[in-house]
Structures are given as structure tokens and as C-alpha cells.
Amino acid sequence: MARVHLSTWRSTYAGLLPSDYLTSLSALREGAAYEQAILERRGGHAAFVAVADGFETPGGGIVGFVTGGLSRRPQIADGEVETLYLLDDFRGRGVGRRLMRAMASHLASLGAQSAFAWVLAANPSRWFYERLGARQAAREEIGFAGSRLEQFAYAWAPIHTLLTATAVTKLPR
């Protein structure tokens, strides 16, 4: 998961975040953070991974993942999609949609009636959340890696909106 995280950040945020920050990211540190969150399961935290058959990586074929749980900002929504990362070669194939479906189902099982995800305003993949029916529910400026960045909270209220948008209608061949 950490290797996918690093690869995704380095490709998506090049030019948005300082290059020295992106090159300093550590798979060991990121991996330890994910492991701890998964083991603690605070707030119903869960992770779902996508694995590609025949795709050999040091991470064992993991090509994407999503994490989330009950919201850390309940004034925005009940559930939160904390991360969604997908290797560039696997975008546009429905993998992200399936990962979001898994997380939406999990959040609904925890009783969440709504869900949201923070997305950097300059993230070129913002359209993905919009296509899944998310609406901008909040915006804020954050300090990150020595930069000031704007981010949007994209929300699905009710969560059924996300479940409907991610429903599989036909399996790819």
C-alpha cells in the first residue's frame, strides 16, 4: 500500500508539492502508518485493496487501495473516505469505482448516512469524485509540506448516492 501511495503522490502532486518533499517520502514510514491504522480500527477504519493478476510489484501486485471509517469531521458527513490511491496504469478501468463501492458499503454498514473525501483543489482527478455524484460541501486552506493548499470536501448525502454511482452494471472482460 505504501508503494502505491508514494507512486501516486509523486505522479499526481508533481508541481503541486515541493519536489524535495515528494522525494523524501518513505515507504517504510507510510507502511507503518497504514499498518497501525488498520490494526487499531479506530472509528471503524478499514482498508480495501485492488490486486492485479500477473502484475508483479514489490507490494505483491497491489495496484490501488482505499481507506476510511467514521468521520473525523462529523459536521460534514458521517463517514469519511480518507485515501484513494491508484497506480496511473490502472486508472480509467473501473478499479477506483470498485474501491469506492467497497468503502461506501463499509461506511453504510457502520451506520453512516453520508460520506465525504478531502481532495486538493489542484488535484487533476477531482472530476472522478464529481462523476460519482459528489458535491462540494466545504473548502479550506491547509499548510502542508511548506505550502499553502486549498482543499475541497466532496460529499455524498445521502450515502446511497455513492452506492448507486458505483454499482456494477456490467463486468469488464
Side-chain angles (χ1 to χ4, degrees), residues 1-12 48-66 83-97 99 125 127-128:
M1 287 173 59
R3 292 184 197 289
V4 170
H5 175 125
L6 269 59
S7 177
T8 303
W9 272 53
R10 289 176 177 151
S11 68
T12 302
F48 298 92
V49 299
V51 178
D53 289 336
F55 187 76
E56 295 303 318
T57 68
I62 294 174
V63 299
F65 68 94
V66 64
T83 63
L84 174 63
Y85 299 129
L86 191 59
L87 294 177
D88 290 348
D89 290 345
F90 290 86
R91 292 181 183 178
R93 296 182 180 190
V95 178
R97 180 179 295 270
L99 287 168
S125 296
W127 62 268
F128 173 76

Side-chain angles (χ1 to χ4, degrees), residues 5 25 58 64 92 102 124 144:
H5 175 125
L25 292 173
F144 189 82

Side-chain angles (χ1 to χ4, degrees), residues 31-127:
Y34 284 120
E35 181 178 22
Q36 181 177 352
I38 291 167
L39 292 174
E40 289 178 3
R41 292 196 53 134
R42 259 189 245 151
H45 188 275
F48 298 92
V49 299
V51 178
D53 289 336
F55 187 76
E56 295 303 318
T57 68
I62 294 174
V63 299
F65 68 94
V66 64
T67 65
L70 294 176
S71 180
R72 297 173 289 182
R73 304 276 287 274
Q75 68 276 22
I76 299 174
D78 301 329
E80 181 175 357
V81 178
E82 295 173 13
T83 63
L84 174 63
Y85 299 129
L86 191 59
L87 294 177
D88 290 348
D89 290 345
F90 290 86
R91 292 181 183 178
R93 296 182 180 190
V95 178
R97 180 179 295 270
R98 287 188 195 95
L99 287 168
M100 288 295 285
R101 172 83 178 176
M103 184 52 65
S105 296
H106 172 69
L107 294 174
S109 78
L110 294 174
Q113 299 295 308
S114 57
F116 83 100
W118 283 112
V119 182
L120 289 180
N123 184 330
S125 296
R126 271 187 22 217
W127 62 268

Side-chain angles (χ1 to χ4, degrees), residues 140-157:
E140 67 182 16
E141 190 174 285
I142 58 170
F144 189 82
S147 300
R148 299 297 302 166
L149 303 168
E150 184 179 28
Q151 66 178 1
F152 300 130
Y154 278 105
W156 295 271

